[in-house]
Amino acid sequence: MKNIVKEIESKFSNHDDFFIEEELVDKTAIYLIGFNTLVDLPKSKLYVQQMAASSTSLKVLLTNLSDQINVDTAQIIKSVLEGKLVIVSKDDEENAVIDPIAQNLSSSIEEPKNESPIQSSTDAFGEDININVGMIRKSLNTERLCHCSYQVGELEKRKLSMLYVKGRAPNDLIEKVNQQLNQIKSDIETIDDLNKQFGQRRLSPVSHLFATELPVQAIHSLKKNRIVLFLDNCPFALVFPHLVWDMLSSVNDRNFPFVLSFMLRLFRVIGVVATLILPALYVALVSVNPEVFKTDLALFVLKSREGIPLSAFLETIAMVVLVDLILEAIVRLPKSVGPAITMVGGVILGQAVVEAKLVSNLLVIVITAIVIASSAVIGMQNSLYIRLLKYPILILASLFGILGVFTGFIFTIIYLASLTSNDIPYLTFRIEQKGDTK
């Protein structure tokens, strides 16, 4: 192997999808160079062999294949990153950059089903891990994008890919994740199985991984010094570590002027706080600390609860559980049935319980506000865990009133602040430390 091929191989030593294949053409050895996530190697080799059959020499073959012949090493590296197939003769005397038979990266790409990007590309990741890596590499065509692949599992071997940008993701973070992935011995059937490999959070609703199906969001995370993992047959990019900012900010926010972007993020913060404390505040103010209200407002609340046999806590806990059940049913049921469940659960059942005087009109308004507020945050998993964390605060509010609300809210913040992923706190807004480019 001559110098030019060795130099290219050294340049892409951290890219497991990089290949150098040796072939014989007219009794002359050549090297085929490229990325197998961008180049369909079997079909491209067949194409080269067919062209070689009608060529009298290697020089004629290269001339027939391409008009970029005998380019320098920098151009070869650039072409490889762009998804081209490079042919280099074994004696290093001849080379050519050709358009290969490319991997099909577009036919199975669909629109996202769990996220709604605004003023942005609507491509979403699929289940083929090579296509997912290719989508990232197609948009982020820099040699600093590193790709490490793994085979994990005991009975069922699954492909796992780790992507990071050299010089951005901290070196110690890369080494720790690489070590944790190499130590996986059990089968990885779900994202939670992979999540457990980064440290057990058995009773924690917060994952180490933030799942996104938008390539633009995954690329943004790579640029922000983080690591992206892909699991085969999983149509999500798993960003590590998961930070609180993922719940409040999306890269698509930057499509708007700063003021609008700031407003969107402020609304999400309000949504999180409202989801956590709004039902607890209702219970505290109605049943434990009604003296906080002004007289006319207290009379309005009293009138709205007139004839209701349940205590404020019981009617609130019944309604929030019922609404969470309806939301879960809507997610699980087919789309053709989901709207009907929304109508039955949200409108008919809500109106029925009010007319039957089981809950107050005021509580229905509060519950509706909670459902809307919890949907304002980014990521389904974030919405779920915020909805879960409201229950302890609700119980404290029923016992200690407003004092219980604020105590529960502060303990929730303390709990979230105690979470770490490989020593990176969950409440960190961004990873400032950068890795070495060497």
Side-chain angles (χ1 to χ4, degrees), residues 156-171:
E156 179 191 12
K157 295 291 184 185
R158 294 189 69 177
K159 293 180 184 175
L160 183 65
S161 290
M162 176 176 73
L163 276 73
Y164 61 91
V165 176
K166 184 182 286 186
R168 292 294 180 94
N171 290 347

Side-chain angles (χ1 to χ4, degrees), residues 27 32 51 69 181 270 283 304 310 321 336 346 364 401 421 424:
K27 299 180 181 178
L32 303 178
M51 292 295 291
I69 299 175
L181 296 179
I270 294 173
V283 172
S304 72
L310 301 175
V321 170
S336 57
V364 173
S421 297
I424 298 175

